[in-house]
Structures are given as structure tokens and as C-alpha cells.
């Protein structure tokens, strides 16, 4: 039995599908008028866990406009 050449899995591509742009539920807490203070940190942690905070906080530069 031959050993595989790589034991790591590329987390952004599984089964030929890039998972970084697949819509998915970030948290299971639905925002209501009463739960903002528990929803906000949960949503922030969910977005940060997917390395997407740069799109929220403005640290990702805007793409150049094409003519």
C-alpha cells in the first residue's frame, strides 16, 4: 500500500469546489431588537474566522476601476 504524497487538504478547495465564496451561515443567532449585544460579537467572530474582516473594516483597498 503506497502512502499518499500529501497529507494536507487545501481548505479553500474541496472536491473541485472553492469554498471561500460559497454562501453559508456565519452564526445561528438571528438578529432581533432584543439581542443585538449578543449577536454583534458572535457575527464579528464568525466573519473574522473566515478572514473577511478586511471587507468590513475597510482595510482591504477598493479595486481599481476599469474603463
Amino acid at each position: 500500500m503506497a502512502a499518499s504524497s500529501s497529507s494536507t487538504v487545501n481548505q479553500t478547495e474541496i472536491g473541485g469546489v472553492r469554498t471561500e465564496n460559497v454562501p453559508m451561515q456565519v452564526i445561528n443567532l438571528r438578529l432581533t431588537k432584543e439581542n443585538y449585544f449578543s449577536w454583534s460579537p458572535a457575527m464579528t467572530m464568525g466573519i473574522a474566522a473566515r478572514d473577511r474582516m478586511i471587507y468590513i473594516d475597510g482595510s482591504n483597498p477598493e479595486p481599481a476601476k476599469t474603463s
Side-chain angles (χ1 to χ4, degrees), residues 8-35:
T8 61
V9 176
N10 183 350
Q11 297 298 319
T12 61
E13 190 168 334
I14 299 172
V17 177
R18 292 187 64 85
T19 58
E20 63 188 26
N21 293 324
V22 175
M24 63 177 46
Q25 186 174 345
V26 176
I27 62 170
N28 62 359
L29 183 62
R30 185 179 201 105
L31 177 62
T32 65
K33 293 179 201 176
E34 294 81 25
N35 71 351

Side-chain angles (χ1 to χ4, degrees), residues 1-6:
M1 187 171 357
S4 67
S5 60
S6 174

